[in-house]
Amino acid sequence: MYWYEKEGGVFSSVISTRVRFARNAEGIPFPHLQTDEQRKAFWKKAVEAFAPYGGKAVSFDDMDPLEKSAYVETRLASPALAKARVGAGLILSPEGEVSVMVGEEDHLRIQAILPGKAIAEAFQAATAWSEKGKTLNYAYRKGLGYLTSCPTNLGAGCRISVMIHLPALHSAGAMNALTQNLNNLGFTVRGIFGEGSREAGGIYQISNQLSREKTPEEICEVFERVLADVEEREREAARVLYEKNREDWEDRICRAVGTVKYARKISYGEFVSLYALIRFGKALGLEEARSIPLTDRLLVELMPAPMILTNTENRDEKRRDLARAETLRLLTR
């Protein structure tokens, strides 16, 4: 069961949490410097290293581009991994919460993704699988830490990120100031799908930038504090917005509820906007929004590639928009 198929439990601004470790094998060139034969050889070594723990190997060599897109859209793989020429793929944990990217920017990108705000739990899962791969002899230097392809990952090689819904701060025009403040603290704010993407429906990704000066545990501790502050700012912004424009927000949210319940055709972009409004309504406590059983997993399941893999007829965009609307109508009956 992958991360998006699980429920996060307590409602939170945080949609999902990811903890990722970058690791490289000693004495082997970084992936971008490897020959095709070296890349293939390391893929084989990685598969053998994680096999005793139930790791499921998914080679990207000769994989259909659509299937690669599905792994990217579900965040189990990165766009860079999908573009790798040979010797690249995923090793998935039996529980589905950990995916090890092999042959991306680093030899290994070990990431754990969980629904909701779950930094400690994701850190524990990623750490456990990093330990399982130690037979690959990770490159490490005293005073530098784990050696990585990109200098910003040098040290702990630990990157934490959350997908977070900040509709009030977004609507209040406060995101530029928040982004600058977080940048000064060593964090970065990106769009819904990470680097190079834009926000959608007030959904962003926040992650730490550097891991050189701190241990992974210290990075988690700082991230927890910063995230708590961002959530408090969102709650206060929501309170102010709702008090000032209660009728306008209720109208927008209820219109979104009506569209989801009765529309016959919905694009993915429109769905994200509708979903964000209804999710905001849930946070505000509106009964009309709370009565709609939309879950965060739909952000993934209703993306183009996963829909096409579920039903090949959905290759046609119009057919996909019809199917997406039908799925939502059935959920809201």
Side-chain angles (χ1 to χ4, degrees):
M1 180 179 288
Y2 299 133
W3 70 270
Y4 58 89
E5 297 174 308
K6 304 175 183 179
E7 296 303 328
V10 178
F11 185 87
S12 167
S13 296
V14 181
I15 295 170
S16 65
T17 303
R18 181 184 69 179
V19 174
R20 189 196 73 199
F21 293 122
R23 298 289 184 262
N24 289 280
E26 183 67 57
I28 300 177
F30 289 129
H32 68 281
L33 297 175
Q34 289 179 318
T35 65
D36 287 355
E37 290 307 312
Q38 287 175 320
R39 291 176 65 88
K40 291 177 182 178
F42 184 78
W43 164 255
K44 184 178 179 181
K45 287 182 64 175
V47 171
E48 292 172 350
F50 290 103
Y53 308 102
K56 176 186 175 184
V58 181
S59 173
F60 275 25
D61 291 4
D62 303 320
M63 180 184 284
D64 183 280
L66 180 61
E67 191 173 354
K68 287 185 183 180
S69 295
Y71 280 113
V72 172
E73 290 181 1
T74 55
R75 301 178 67 210
L76 296 173
S78 66
L81 186 71
K83 294 176 182 177
R85 55 186 190 273
V86 293
L90 294 172
I91 299 172
L92 305 174
S93 69
E95 301 82 12
E97 62 189 18
V98 176
S99 65
V100 181
M101 293 187 283
V102 181
E104 202 234 33
E105 184 176 286
D106 294 291
H107 293 148
L108 302 177
R109 289 285 179 94
I110 304 165
Q111 60 176 17
I113 309 177
L114 292 174
K117 184 168 65 173
I119 293 174
E121 295 86 346
F123 175 77
Q124 183 178 14
T127 299
W129 275 77
S130 178
E131 290 294 314
K132 297 180 194 308
K134 276 193 169 181
T135 56
L136 293 168
N137 190 21
Y138 297 148
Y140 185 90
R141 297 291 185 276
K142 186 176 180 180
L144 292 177
Y146 289 101
L147 304 186
T148 55
S149 178
C150 180
T152 58
N153 290 319
L154 194 66
C158 178
R159 183 67 60 90
I160 302 174
S161 66
V162 294
M163 184 185 293
I164 187 168
H165 188 208
L166 302 173
L169 289 169
H170 175 77
S171 297
M175 285 305 301
N176 285 339
L178 177 63
T179 297
Q180 184 60 53
N181 184 35
L182 289 175
N183 285 341
N184 293 338
L185 293 173
F187 292 80
T188 185
V189 180
R190 296 188 172 106
I192 182 173
F193 300 119
E195 188 171 0
S197 67
R198 300 178 60 184
E199 66 78 32
I203 300 174
Y204 296 85
Q205 284 195 37
I206 298 175
S207 63
N208 65 303
Q209 290 181 298
L210 301 174
S211 63
R212 176 77 185 275
E213 304 298 330
K214 295 181 174 65
T215 66
E217 291 79 7
E218 289 171 334
I219 293 171
C220 287
E221 184 180 341
V222 172
F223 201 103
E224 290 271 16
R225 292 201 302 267
V226 170
L227 184 57
D229 179 67
V230 172
E231 290 184 291
E232 180 56 36
R233 293 188 187 205
E234 171 63 21
R235 282 191 290 269
E236 178 59 19
R239 184 189 66 78
V240 172
L241 277 179
Y242 193 46
E243 286 181 357
K244 287 184 176 180
N245 302 288
R246 180 184 297 264
E247 294 81 5
D248 289 344
W249 277 110
E250 290 184 355
D251 180 67
R252 291 178 63 188
I253 292 165
C254 288
R255 285 175 182 272
V257 169
T259 301
V260 164
K261 291 177 70 173
Y262 300 112
R264 290 302 189 263
K265 187 170 66 171
I266 297 178
S267 68
Y268 183 73
E270 183 183 10
F271 163 69
V272 172
S273 297
L274 296 169
Y275 163 87
L277 280 168
I278 294 172
R279 199 177 194 280
F280 189 32
K282 290 176 184 286
L284 294 172
L286 292 184
E287 185 57 37
E288 293 87 349
R290 288 190 168 186
S291 67
I292 303 298
L294 296 187
T295 59
D296 293 333
R297 63 187 292 176
L298 292 174
L299 278 175
V300 172
E301 293 179 348
L302 295 184
M303 294 186 79
M307 287 189 69
I308 295 170
L309 290 179
T310 301
N311 185 343
T312 55
E313 291 183 5
N314 290 332
R315 285 181 178 273
D316 177 74
E317 184 178 357
K318 181 178 179 180
R319 175 69 185 82
R320 196 162 59 241
D321 291 350
L322 291 169
R324 187 177 292 111
E326 182 180 16
T327 297
L328 294 173
R329 289 200 308 274
L330 291 173
L331 281 174
T332 55
R333 278 182 179 175

